Amino acid sequence: MFAAAALLLLNASLTFGNVWPTPKIRWETALSVELAVCVLLLTVAHQRAELFARRVLPTLWVLLVAGHYLDVTAPGLYGRDFNLYWDSRHLGNVAAMLARAVPAWQIAAAAAGLAIIIVAVYLLARLALRHLAAAVQHRRARLVLGTAAALVVATFATRQLASLTQPAFADPASGAYFRQARYVVAMMGTGGASPALGDSPDFGADLRGLQGADVVLVFLESYGAVTFDNPAFADTLVASRRNLSAAVNEAGRELVSAYVESPTFGASSWLAHLSLLSGVKVVDQYEYTSLMASSRDTLVKAFARGGYRTVALMPGMRQPWPEGGFYGFDVIYGRDLLAYQGPEFGWWGIPDQFALARLDALERTAASRPPLFAVFPTSTSHAPFGPVPPFLSEWSRALQKDGYRPEDVASAVAPDLTDLAPSYLRSIAYGYDTLAGYIRSHAGENLVMVVIGDHQPPAAVSGRDAPREVPVHVIASRPGLLRHLQTNGFRSGLEPGRPVAGEMHALVPTLLRAFSATR
């Protein structure tokens, strides 16, 4: 009886599934081939089974449970597998971000809970394994357990060799570790050779269609197709979208939209930024590093050749950014140069509204100046999507040290890490309202705005198997520019249509031709 209960417990610990969109688990009906291998080991080495059950297997079991949890939870929350080689280097920043965005007691409770779970898994596994070790000391039990385990392993291997689906089996927990090992071997075994990057597009556009207009390219963080595709999300954002559309009309401009496919999902915004600004598809950190080490042309350099002053508006940049030299910006306004003195809202601290207002103060108020090309990756809608600052209807207040009142700070709700959707929608609504306010404050000015999502939000928000599609909007008062875009997959209005206009990096030639269209 104890051996049967031990088998059930050990099997359940390696076959559970994920309760989307949370980090919780649910029990599923499946078999663990690793448990079968463990039982075989104990039956074959039954004379040393007690030693294995006390000293070796419990620790191994904790690792297997952790690997299985990562295997089933990361895709559900994140939208892709966790890549230890590339992603682990960002864990420190993620921890610091959560420390600012989430109350300290929640972090302490989570850390304590994790420690308790690890200890509990170890102790339960040790207890169960010792019961199995005791059972295999009896010849009949050893024969039954060994035969059953051998049949399970043989069935699993046969189905694997025949490339059949394995509905009766959970994915092996060890597979998570083998994948991580392959990632490391693949990245470290290149011998410094460059990956096969795509060709750069032609950046020789004359930009005459802009007629000297300032161009602001906004990467709206985590702005994905899910905001339109999910009916509940779309309903929540109706008011903010109407506000943005009204602002465009009031300013005498038009708005066209399309979908493009991002090279990344749920995170790694820099891959999308580099793909669009270089016109080369960049899907992982290896390609990113290789392209950054090259002397490829960029959209920034193309605007500089066209007589533009080029600016990176980077309120989320807290540390040196040597990679920025690749793009060719005249100036990069990071956290220090922006000199924000108001209250901080979460890890990112600086509200997007302040960043745009500061851009005007630093670059767009001079009486005599060249046209401006500014690239602005927003930060307010970055995971974990909060706390979200209030939008200030008096635009000038954004630059005042006391522009945000104590009640504004108090009303900024911390995100609920078990249900990110409400915080996400608040952050996207804030993004819409900020864009609307900026457009209204510059009515009648010679300005073109390109607003594009860098990637979909994590799978905990966007759902399982969501596409990589993100909206792109162009706001302008240039008929020739807008008509050219409408002949290349864009349609009038804020809501994009399908089919998708193409991949993000392939949008560059379309934009350059539109910026050069005079009629």
Side-chain angles (χ1 to χ4, degrees), residues 218-229 241 257-267 269 272-273 276 424 428 432 451-457 462 466-473 489-490 494-505 507:
V218 179
F219 285 101
L220 188 54
E221 173 66 35
S222 302
Y223 179 39
V226 67
T227 60
F228 291 95
D229 293 342
R241 284 178 172 152
S257 304
Y259 284 123
V260 293
E261 183 178 315
S262 173
T264 184
F265 186 97
S269 306
H273 302 167
L276 184 62
Y424 173 71
I428 295 299
Y432 281 141
V451 181
I452 186 169
D454 49 10
H455 53 69
Q456 291 258 51
S462 58
R468 294 191 172 201
E469 297 166 10
V470 295
V472 54
H473 313 292
F490 285 71
L494 185 62
E495 183 169 358
R498 289 185 171 89
V500 174
E503 295 182 291
M504 185 178 289
H505 72 285
L507 182 61

Side-chain angles (χ1 to χ4, degrees), residues 333-511:
Y333 289 112
R335 182 182 180 86
D336 292 341
L337 288 181
L338 290 175
Y340 176 66
Q341 300 181 37
E344 295 201 354
F345 294 89
W347 162 251
W348 303 104
I350 301 178
D352 294 337
Q353 186 178 8
F354 168 86
L356 282 172
R358 187 73 169 134
L359 173 68
D360 287 348
L362 291 168
E363 293 287 344
R364 301 192 70 232
T365 55
S368 177
R369 62 175 179 83
L372 181 72
F373 176 62
V375 176
F376 173 34
T378 68
S379 55
T380 299
S381 56
H382 193 290
F385 314 119
V388 178
F391 172 74
L392 302 178
S393 55
E394 299 175 45
W395 192 264
S396 60
R397 280 180 55 197
L399 288 177
Q400 298 172 8
K401 185 176 181 179
D402 57 353
Y404 293 96
R405 303 184 179 99
E407 55 268 30
D408 295 329
V409 180
S411 65
V413 181
D416 179 358
L417 298 184
T418 64
D419 183 11
L420 289 172
S423 298
Y424 173 71
L425 294 172
R426 283 194 296 269
S427 70
I428 295 299
Y430 171 83
Y432 281 141
D433 291 341
T434 299
L435 292 171
Y438 190 75
I439 290 166
R440 284 193 174 97
S441 68
H442 296 288
E445 294 185 14
N446 198 10
L447 174 67
V448 172
M449 295 191 75
V450 179
V451 181
I452 186 169
D454 49 10
H455 53 69
Q456 291 258 51
V461 175
S462 58
R464 296 175 181 271
D465 302 319
R468 294 191 172 201
E469 297 166 10
V470 295
V472 54
H473 313 292
V474 178
I475 303 165
S477 57
R478 302 267 173 242
L481 185 158
L482 296 169
R483 278 197 299 269
H484 180 84
L485 292 174
Q486 286 177 300
T487 62
N488 284 272
F490 285 71
R491 73 177 188 179
S492 181
L494 185 62
E495 183 169 358
R498 289 185 171 89
V500 174
E503 295 182 291
M504 185 178 289
H505 72 285
L507 182 61
V508 173
T510 299
L511 289 175

Side-chain angles (χ1 to χ4, degrees), residues 100-178:
R100 283 179 175 260
V102 180
W105 69 267
Q106 291 186 12
I107 297 175
L114 178 61
I116 291 171
I117 289 171
I118 292 173
V119 172
V121 169
Y122 177 86
L123 293 177
L124 287 172
R126 191 170 188 265
L127 179 63
L129 288 163
R130 292 190 72 179
H131 278 299
L132 286 181
V136 299
Q137 302 309 310
H138 304 283
R139 185 173 182 278
R140 180 177 296 180
R142 185 164 65 247
L143 181 62
V144 171
L145 289 172
T147 302
L151 286 173
V152 170
V153 172
T155 301
F156 179 85
T158 300
R159 296 180 70 86
Q160 284 284 98
L161 292 173
S163 300
L164 299 175
T165 57
Q166 303 275 5
F169 292 92
D171 289 336
S174 54
Y177 293 103
F178 285 127

Side-chain angles (χ1 to χ4, degrees), residues 183 301 315 331 366:
Y183 291 148
K301 296 172 185 175
V331 62

